[in-house]
Coordinates of all heavy atoms in Angstrom, one line a residue:
L1069 N 306.3 51.5 214.6 CA 306.0 50.5 215.5 C 306.7 50.6 216.8 O 306.0 50.4 217.8 CB 306.3 49.0 214.8 CG 305.5 47.9 215.4 CD1 304.0 48.1 215.4 CD2 306.0 46.8 214.5
A1070 N 307.8 51.0 216.7 CA 308.6 51.3 218.0 C 308.1 52.4 218.9 O 308.1 52.3 220.1 CB 310.1 51.6 217.6
A1071 N 307.2 53.3 218.2 CA 306.6 54.4 219.0 C 305.2 53.8 219.6 O 304.6 54.7 220.4 CB 306.3 55.6 218.1
G1072 N 305.0 52.6 219.3 CA 303.7 52.0 220.0 C 302.5 52.3 219.1 O 301.3 52.1 219.7
D1073 N 302.6 52.8 217.9 CA 301.3 53.1 217.2 C 301.3 52.1 215.9 O 301.8 52.5 214.8 CB 301.4 54.6 216.7 CG 300.0 55.0 216.0 OD1 299.2 54.2 215.7 OD2 299.9 56.2 215.9
A1074 N 300.8 50.9 216.1 CA 300.7 50.0 215.1 C 299.8 50.5 213.8 O 300.3 50.2 212.6 CB 300.1 48.7 215.6
A1075 N 298.9 51.3 214.0 CA 298.2 51.9 212.8 C 299.0 52.7 211.9 O 298.9 52.5 210.8 CB 296.8 52.5 213.2
A1076 N 299.7 53.5 212.5 CA 300.7 54.6 211.9 C 301.8 53.7 211.2 O 302.2 54.0 210.0 CB 301.2 55.6 212.9
A1077 N 302.3 52.8 211.9 CA 303.3 51.9 211.4 C 302.9 51.2 210.2 O 303.5 51.2 209.1 CB 303.8 50.9 212.4
A1078 N 301.6 50.7 210.2 CA 301.0 49.9 209.0 C 300.8 50.8 207.8 O 301.2 50.5 206.7 CB 299.7 49.3 209.5
E1079 N 300.3 52.1 208.1 CA 300.2 53.0 207.1 C 301.5 53.4 206.4 O 301.6 53.5 205.2 CB 299.5 54.3 207.7 CG 299.3 55.3 206.6 CD 298.6 56.6 207.3 OE1 298.0 56.5 208.4 OE2 298.7 57.7 206.5
S1080 N 302.6 53.6 207.2 CA 303.9 54.0 206.8 C 304.4 52.8 205.9 O 305.0 53.0 204.9 CB 304.9 54.3 207.7 OG 304.6 55.5 208.5
A1081 N 304.2 51.6 206.3 CA 304.7 50.4 205.7 C 304.0 50.3 204.3 O 304.6 49.9 203.3 CB 304.5 49.1 206.5
R1082 N 302.7 50.5 204.3 CA 301.9 50.5 203.0 C 302.4 51.5 202.1 O 302.5 51.2 200.8 CB 300.4 50.7 203.3 CG 299.8 49.4 203.9 CD 298.3 49.5 203.9 NE 297.7 48.2 204.4 CZ 297.3 48.0 205.7 NH1 297.3 49.0 206.6 NH2 296.8 46.8 206.1
I1083 N 302.8 52.7 202.5 CA 303.4 53.8 201.6 C 304.7 53.3 201.1 O 304.8 53.4 199.9 CB 303.5 55.0 202.4 CG1 302.1 55.7 202.6 CG2 304.3 56.1 201.6 CD1 302.1 56.9 203.7
A1084 N 305.5 52.7 202.0 CA 306.9 52.1 201.5 C 306.6 50.9 200.5 O 307.3 50.9 199.4 CB 307.5 51.6 202.7
L1085 N 305.6 50.1 200.7 CA 305.3 49.1 199.8 C 304.8 49.6 198.4 O 305.3 49.2 197.4 CB 304.1 48.2 200.3 CG 303.8 47.0 199.5 CD1 305.0 46.1 199.2 CD2 302.7 46.3 200.2
G1086 N 303.9 50.6 198.4 CA 303.5 51.4 197.2 C 304.7 51.8 196.4 O 304.9 51.7 195.2
A1087 N 305.7 52.6 197.2 CA 306.9 53.0 196.5 C 307.8 52.0 196.0 O 308.4 52.0 194.9 CB 307.6 54.0 197.5
A1088 N 308.1 51.0 196.8 CA 308.9 49.8 196.4 C 308.4 49.2 195.1 O 309.0 48.8 194.2 CB 309.1 48.9 197.5
T1089 N 307.1 48.9 195.1 CA 306.4 48.2 194.0 C 306.6 49.1 192.7 O 306.9 48.5 191.7 CB 305.0 47.9 194.3 OG1 304.8 47.1 195.4 CG2 304.3 47.3 193.1
S1090 N 306.5 50.4 192.8 CA 306.6 51.4 191.6 C 308.0 51.2 191.1 O 308.2 51.5 190.0 CB 306.0 52.6 192.0 OG 306.9 53.3 192.9
L1091 N 308.9 51.0 192.0 CA 310.4 51.0 191.6 C 310.7 49.7 191.0 O 312.0 49.6 190.4 CB 311.3 51.4 192.9 CG 311.1 52.8 193.4 CD1 311.9 53.0 194.6 CD2 311.7 53.8 192.3
Q1092 N 310.0 48.6 191.2 CA 310.3 47.3 190.6 C 310.5 47.4 189.0 O 311.2 46.5 188.5 CB 309.2 46.4 190.9 CG 309.5 45.7 192.2 CD 308.3 44.6 192.4 OE1 307.5 44.8 193.3 NE2 308.4 43.6 191.8
S1093 N 309.9 48.3 188.3 CA 310.0 48.5 187.0 C 309.7 47.2 186.2 O 310.6 46.7 185.2 CB 311.5 49.0 186.5 OG 311.8 50.2 187.1
G1094 N 308.7 46.5 186.5 CA 308.4 45.2 185.9 C 309.0 44.1 186.3 O 308.7 42.9 185.8
L1095 N 310.1 44.2 187.3 CA 310.8 42.9 187.6 C 309.7 42.1 188.6 O 308.9 42.8 189.2 CB 312.0 43.3 188.5 CG 313.1 44.0 187.7 CD1 314.2 44.4 188.6 CD2 313.5 43.1 186.7
Q1096 N 309.8 40.8 188.6 CA 309.0 39.9 189.5 C 309.3 40.1 191.0 O 308.2 40.1 191.7 CB 309.1 38.5 188.8 CG 308.0 37.6 189.5 CD 308.1 36.2 189.0 OE1 308.9 36.0 188.1 NE2 307.2 35.3 189.4
H1097 N 310.4 40.2 191.3 CA 310.8 40.3 192.7 C 311.7 41.4 192.9 O 312.5 41.9 192.0 CB 311.6 39.0 193.1 CG 310.7 37.8 192.8 ND1 310.9 37.0 191.8 CD2 309.6 37.3 193.5 CE1 310.0 36.0 191.8 NE2 309.3 36.2 192.9
S1098 N 311.6 41.9 194.1 CA 312.4 43.1 194.6 C 312.8 43.2 196.1 O 312.0 42.8 196.9 CB 311.7 44.3 194.3 OG 312.2 45.4 195.0
Q1099 N 314.1 43.3 196.3 CA 314.5 43.4 197.7 C 313.7 44.5 198.5 O 313.3 44.3 199.6 CB 316.0 43.6 197.8 CG 316.5 43.8 199.2 CD 318.0 44.0 199.2 OE1 318.7 43.8 198.4 NE2 318.5 44.5 200.4
R1100 N 313.6 45.7 197.8 CA 313.0 46.7 198.4 C 311.4 46.3 198.8 O 311.0 46.7 199.8 CB 313.0 47.9 197.5 CG 314.2 48.7 197.4 CD 313.8 49.9 196.7 NE 315.2 50.7 196.3 CZ 315.8 50.6 195.2 NH1 315.3 50.0 194.2 NH2 317.0 51.3 195.1
T1101 N 310.8 45.7 197.8 CA 309.5 45.3 198.0 C 309.4 44.3 199.2 O 308.5 44.3 200.1 CB 308.9 44.7 196.7 OG1 308.9 45.8 195.7 CG2 307.3 44.3 196.9
G1102 N 310.3 43.4 199.2 CA 310.4 42.3 200.3 C 310.5 43.0 201.6 O 310.0 42.7 202.6
R1103 N 311.5 44.0 201.6 CA 311.6 44.7 203.0 C 310.4 45.5 203.4 O 310.1 45.6 204.5 CB 312.8 45.6 202.8 CG 314.2 44.9 202.8 CD 315.3 45.9 202.6 NE 316.5 45.3 202.7 CZ 317.4 45.3 203.7 NH1 316.9 45.9 204.9 NH2 318.6 44.7 203.7
A1104 N 309.7 46.0 202.4 CA 308.4 46.7 202.8 C 307.4 45.8 203.3 O 306.7 46.0 204.2 CB 307.9 47.4 201.6
W1105 N 307.3 44.6 202.7 CA 306.4 43.6 203.3 C 306.7 43.2 204.6 O 305.9 42.9 205.6 CB 306.3 42.3 202.4 CG 305.5 42.4 201.1 CD1 305.8 42.5 199.8 CD2 304.0 42.6 201.1 NE1 304.7 42.6 199.0 CE2 303.7 42.7 199.8 CE3 303.1 42.7 202.1 CZ2 302.2 42.7 199.3 CZ3 301.7 42.8 201.7 CH2 301.3 42.8 200.3
L1106 N 308.1 43.1 204.8 CA 308.7 42.7 206.2 C 308.3 43.9 207.2 O 308.0 43.6 208.4 CB 310.1 42.6 206.1 CG 310.8 42.1 207.4 CD1 310.2 40.9 207.9 CD2 312.2 41.9 207.0
L1107 N 308.2 45.1 206.8 CA 307.8 46.2 207.7 C 306.2 45.9 208.0 O 305.8 46.3 209.2 CB 308.0 47.5 207.2 CG 309.5 48.0 207.0 CD1 309.6 49.3 206.2 CD2 310.2 48.0 208.4
L1108 N 305.6 45.6 207.1 CA 304.0 45.6 207.2 C 303.6 44.6 208.1 O 302.7 44.6 208.9 CB 303.4 45.6 205.8 CG 301.9 45.6 205.9 CD1 301.3 46.8 206.5 CD2 301.3 45.4 204.4
G1109 N 304.2 43.3 208.1 CA 303.8 42.2 208.8 C 303.6 42.3 210.2 O 302.6 42.1 210.8
P1110 N 304.7 42.9 211.0 CA 304.6 43.1 212.4 C 303.5 44.0 212.8 O 302.7 43.9 213.9 CB 306.0 43.6 212.8 CG 306.9 43.1 211.8 CD 306.2 43.1 210.6
A1111 N 303.3 45.0 212.0 CA 302.2 46.0 212.3 C 300.9 45.4 212.2 O 300.0 45.6 213.1 CB 302.3 47.3 211.4
L1112 N 300.7 44.6 211.1 CA 299.4 43.9 211.0 C 299.2 43.0 212.1 O 298.1 42.8 212.6 CB 299.4 43.2 209.7 CG 299.3 44.2 208.4 CD1 299.5 43.3 207.2 CD2 298.0 44.9 208.3
R1113 N 300.3 42.3 212.6 CA 300.2 41.3 213.8 C 299.7 42.1 215.1 O 298.8 41.6 215.7 CB 301.5 40.7 213.9 CG 301.4 39.4 214.9 CD 302.6 38.7 215.0 NE 302.6 37.7 214.0 CZ 303.7 37.0 213.6 NH1 305.0 37.3 214.2 NH2 303.6 36.1 212.6
Q1114 N 300.2 43.3 215.2 CA 299.8 44.0 216.5 C 298.4 44.7 216.3 O 297.9 44.8 217.3 CB 300.9 45.1 216.6 CG 302.2 44.7 217.2 CD 302.8 45.9 218.0 OE1 302.5 47.0 218.0 NE2 303.9 45.4 218.7
L1115 N 298.0 44.8 215.0 CA 296.5 45.2 214.9 C 295.6 44.1 214.9 O 294.4 44.3 214.6 CB 296.5 45.9 213.4 CG 297.2 47.3 213.5 CD1 297.2 47.8 212.0 CD2 296.5 48.3 214.3
N1116 N 296.1 42.9 215.3 CA 295.3 41.7 215.4 C 294.8 41.3 214.0 O 293.5 40.9 214.0 CB 294.3 41.8 216.5 CG 293.8 40.5 216.9 OD1 294.5 39.6 216.8 ND2 292.4 40.4 217.4
E1117 N 295.6 41.4 212.9 CA 295.1 40.9 211.7 C 296.1 39.7 211.3 O 297.0 39.9 210.4 CB 295.2 42.0 210.8 CG 294.2 43.1 211.1 CD 294.3 44.2 210.2 OE1 294.8 44.2 209.0 OE2 293.8 45.5 210.5
P1118 N 296.1 38.6 211.9 CA 297.1 37.6 211.7 C 297.1 37.0 210.3 O 298.2 36.7 209.9 CB 296.7 36.5 212.8 CG 295.1 36.7 213.1 CD 294.9 38.2 212.9
A1119 N 296.0 36.8 209.6 CA 295.9 36.3 208.2 C 296.7 37.2 207.3 O 297.6 36.9 206.5 CB 294.6 36.0 207.9
E1120 N 296.5 38.5 207.6 CA 297.1 39.5 206.7 C 298.6 39.7 207.0 O 299.4 39.8 206.1 CB 296.3 40.9 206.8 CG 295.0 41.0 206.3 CD 293.9 40.4 207.3 OE1 294.2 39.9 208.4 OE2 292.8 40.4 207.0
A1121 N 298.9 39.5 208.2 CA 300.3 39.6 208.6 C 301.1 38.4 208.1 O 302.2 38.6 207.5 CB 300.4 39.5 210.2
E1122 N 300.4 37.2 208.1 CA 301.1 36.0 207.5 C 301.3 36.2 206.0 O 302.3 35.7 205.5 CB 300.3 34.6 207.8 CG 301.0 33.6 207.5 CD 302.4 33.3 208.0 OE1 302.6 33.7 209.1 OE2 303.2 32.7 207.4
Q1123 N 300.4 36.8 205.3 CA 300.4 36.9 203.9 C 301.6 38.0 203.6 O 302.4 37.8 202.7 CB 299.2 37.5 203.4 CG 299.2 37.8 201.8 CD 299.7 36.6 201.1 OE1 299.1 35.5 201.1 NE2 300.7 36.7 200.1
A1124 N 301.7 39.0 204.5 CA 302.9 39.9 204.4 C 304.2 39.2 204.6 O 305.1 39.4 203.7 CB 302.7 41.1 205.4
F1125 N 304.3 38.4 205.6 CA 305.5 37.6 205.7 C 305.8 36.8 204.5 O 306.9 36.6 204.1 CB 305.5 36.9 207.0 CG 305.4 37.8 208.3 CD1 304.6 37.5 209.3 CD2 306.3 38.9 208.5 CE1 304.5 38.2 210.4 CE2 306.3 39.6 209.6 CZ 305.4 39.4 210.6
A1126 N 304.7 36.1 204.1 CA 304.9 35.1 202.8 C 305.5 35.9 201.7 O 306.3 35.5 200.9 CB 303.7 34.4 202.7
S1127 N 304.9 37.0 201.5 CA 305.4 38.0 200.4 C 306.8 38.5 200.5 O 307.6 38.4 199.6 CB 304.4 39.1 200.2 OG 303.1 38.7 199.9
A1128 N 307.1 38.8 201.8 CA 308.4 39.2 202.1 C 309.4 38.1 201.8 O 310.5 38.3 201.2 CB 308.6 39.6 203.5
I1129 N 309.1 36.9 202.1 CA 310.0 35.8 202.0 C 310.1 35.4 200.5 O 311.2 35.2 199.9 CB 309.4 34.5 202.7 CG1 309.6 34.7 204.2 CG2 310.1 33.3 202.2 CD1 308.8 33.7 205.0
T1130 N 309.0 35.6 199.7 CA 309.0 35.3 198.2 C 309.9 36.4 197.6 O 310.9 35.9 196.7 CB 307.6 35.3 197.6 OG1 306.8 34.4 198.2 CG2 307.7 35.3 196.1
H1131 N 309.8 37.6 198.0 CA 310.6 38.6 197.4 C 312.0 38.6 197.6 O 312.9 38.4 196.8 CB 310.1 40.1 197.6 CG 309.0 40.4 196.7 ND1 309.2 41.0 195.5 CD2 307.6 40.3 197.0 CE1 307.9 41.2 195.0 NE2 307.0 40.8 195.9
L1132 N 312.3 38.3 199.0 CA 313.6 38.3 199.5 C 314.4 36.9 199.1 O 315.7 37.1 198.7 CB 313.7 38.4 201.0 CG 313.2 39.9 201.5 CD1 313.0 39.9 203.0 CD2 314.3 40.9 201.1
S1133 N 313.7 36.0 199.1 CA 314.4 34.7 198.8 C 314.9 34.7 197.3 O 315.7 33.9 196.8 CB 313.6 33.4 199.0 OG 312.4 33.4 198.2
N1134 N 314.2 35.7 196.4 CA 314.6 35.7 195.0 C 315.5 36.6 194.8 O 315.9 37.0 193.6 CB 313.4 35.9 194.2 CG 312.6 34.5 194.0 OD1 313.0 33.6 193.2 ND2 311.5 34.3 194.8
T1135 N 316.0 37.5 195.8 CA 316.9 38.6 195.6 C 318.1 38.8 196.4 O 319.0 39.6 196.2 CB 316.0 40.0 195.6 OG1 315.4 40.1 197.0 CG2 314.9 40.0 194.6
V1136 N 318.1 38.0 197.6 CA 319.3 38.1 198.5 C 319.6 36.7 198.8 O 319.0 35.7 198.6 CB 318.8 38.9 199.8 CG1 318.4 40.2 199.6 CG2 317.7 38.2 200.6
D1137 N 320.9 36.7 199.4 CA 321.4 35.4 199.9 C 320.6 34.8 201.0 O 320.0 35.5 201.7 CB 322.8 35.5 200.3 CG 323.8 35.9 199.3 OD1 323.5 35.6 198.0 OD2 324.8 36.5 199.5
E1138 N 320.7 33.6 201.2 CA 319.9 32.9 202.3 C 320.4 33.4 203.6 O 319.5 33.2 204.6 CB 320.2 31.4 202.2 CG 319.5 30.7 201.0 CD 318.0 30.7 201.1 OE1 317.4 30.3 202.2 OE2 317.3 31.0 200.1
S1139 N 321.5 33.8 203.7 CA 322.1 34.3 205.1 C 321.6 35.8 205.4 O 322.1 36.4 206.4 CB 323.6 34.1 205.1 OG 324.2 34.9 204.1
H1140 N 321.1 36.5 204.5 CA 320.7 37.8 204.6 C 319.8 38.0 205.8 O 318.8 37.3 206.0 CB 319.9 38.3 203.3 CG 319.8 39.8 203.2 ND1 318.9 40.5 203.9 CD2 320.6 40.8 202.6 CE1 319.1 41.9 203.7 NE2 320.1 42.0 202.8
A1141 N 320.0 39.0 206.6 CA 319.4 39.3 207.8 C 317.9 39.5 207.6 O 317.0 39.0 208.4 CB 319.9 40.5 208.6
A1142 N 317.4 40.1 206.7 CA 316.0 40.4 206.4 C 315.2 39.2 206.0 O 314.2 38.9 206.4 CB 315.8 41.5 205.3
L1143 N 315.9 38.3 205.2 CA 315.3 37.0 205.0 C 315.1 36.2 206.1 O 314.1 35.5 206.4 CB 316.0 36.3 203.8 CG 315.5 34.9 203.3 CD1 314.1 35.1 202.9 CD2 316.3 34.4 202.2
I1144 N 316.2 36.1 207.0 CA 316.1 35.3 208.1 C 315.1 35.9 209.1 O 314.2 35.1 209.7 CB 317.4 35.4 208.9 CG1 318.6 34.6 208.1 CG2 317.5 34.7 210.3 CD1 320.0 34.8 208.4
E1145 N 314.9 37.2 209.3 CA 314.0 37.8 210.1 C 312.5 37.5 209.5 O 311.7 37.1 210.3 CB 314.1 39.2 210.1 CG 313.1 40.1 211.0 CD 313.2 41.5 211.0 OE1 314.0 42.1 210.3 OE2 312.5 42.2 211.7
A1146 N 312.3 37.5 208.2 CA 311.0 37.2 207.7 C 310.6 35.8 208.0 O 309.4 35.5 208.4 CB 311.0 37.5 206.1
R1147 N 311.5 34.8 207.8 CA 311.2 33.5 208.1 C 310.9 33.3 209.7 O 310.1 32.5 209.9 CB 312.4 32.6 207.7 CG 312.4 32.4 206.1 CD 313.5 31.6 205.6 NE 313.4 31.4 204.3 CZ 314.4 31.1 203.4 NH1 315.7 31.2 203.8 NH2 314.2 31.0 202.2
A1148 N 311.7 34.0 210.5 CA 311.5 33.7 211.9 C 310.1 34.3 212.3 O 309.4 33.7 213.1 CB 312.7 34.5 212.7
L1149 N 309.8 35.5 211.8 CA 308.5 36.2 212.1 C 307.4 35.3 211.7 O 306.4 35.2 212.3 CB 308.4 37.6 211.6 CG 309.3 38.5 212.4 CD1 309.4 39.8 211.6 CD2 308.9 38.8 213.7
S1150 N 307.6 34.7 210.4 CA 306.4 33.9 209.9 C 306.2 32.7 210.7 O 305.1 32.2 211.0 CB 306.8 33.5 208.4 OG 305.9 32.7 207.8
S1151 N 307.3 32.1 211.2 CA 307.3 30.8 211.9 C 306.7 31.1 213.3 O 306.1 30.1 213.9 CB 308.6 30.2 212.0 OG 309.4 30.7 212.8
Q1152 N 306.8 32.3 213.9 CA 306.2 32.6 215.1 C 304.7 32.4 215.1 O 304.2 32.0 216.2 CB 306.5 34.0 215.5 CG 307.8 34.3 216.0 CD 308.1 35.8 216.3 OE1 307.2 36.7 216.3 NE2 309.3 36.1 216.6
R1153 N 304.0 32.6 214.2 CA 302.6 32.4 214.0 C 302.3 30.9 214.2 O 301.4 30.5 215.0 CB 302.1 32.8 212.6 CG 300.5 32.5 212.4 CD 300.2 32.8 211.0 NE 299.1 31.9 210.6 CZ 299.2 30.7 210.1 NH1 300.3 30.1 210.1 NH2 298.0 30.0 209.8
L1154 N 303.1 30.1 213.8 CA 302.8 28.6 213.9 C 303.1 28.2 215.3 O 302.5 27.2 215.7 CB 303.8 27.8 213.0 CG 303.6 28.1 211.3 CD1 304.8 27.4 210.6 CD2 302.3 27.8 210.9
K1155 N 303.9 28.8 216.0 CA 304.1 28.5 217.4 C 303.1 29.1 218.4 O 303.1 28.5 219.6 CB 305.5 28.9 217.8 CG 306.6 28.2 217.1 CD 308.0 28.7 217.4 CE 309.2 28.2 216.6 NZ 310.4 28.9 216.8
S1156 N 302.5 30.1 218.0 CA 301.5 30.7 218.9 C 300.3 29.9 219.1 O 299.8 29.1 218.3 CB 301.1 32.1 218.2 OG 302.3 32.9 218.2

């Protein structure tokens, strides 16, 4: 995403999401999966897919809130990015 290619960023995030999901080993929530969703959300937002981006942020929040402390940077970021949609 930093390179300015949202489509490539979304593709990379989806690959990371697939890998993270496979590493969950049947667990309901995963920090890795939450972080992968967090990578996907901004890319989808830049691709003008707001509903899909919001779902990605919601999934990130669900995974992260069940695996990390409330003060964890990734969880704080996911919540902040999700709330940006409401302000737009």
Side-chain angles (χ1 to χ4, degrees):
L1069 200 54
D1073 189 346
E1079 182 179 342
S1080 293
R1082 285 186 176 105
I1083 290 168
L1085 181 59
T1089 301
S1090 71
L1091 292 171
Q1092 274 184 246
S1093 301
L1095 296 175
Q1096 187 174 5
H1097 300 103
S1098 162
Q1099 178 181 340
R1100 285 187 187 103
T1101 302
R1103 287 173 175 263
W1105 280 115
L1106 184 54
L1107 290 173
L1108 184 57
L1112 292 171
R1113 189 174 274 165
Q1114 281 202 357
L1115 291 170
N1116 200 27
E1117 298 179 20
E1120 293 84 355
E1122 187 56 33
Q1123 180 57 48
F1125 294 132
S1127 294
I1129 291 167
T1130 297
H1131 280 274
L1132 293 169
S1133 66
N1134 284 283
T1135 56
V1136 300
D1137 292 333
E1138 290 293 313
S1139 62
H1140 193 280
L1143 180 55
I1144 292 169
E1145 180 181 5
R1147 287 181 171 149
L1149 288 170
S1150 179
S1151 70
Q1152 283 179 4
R1153 176 187 153 277
L1154 300 174
K1155 294 177 184 176
S1156 299

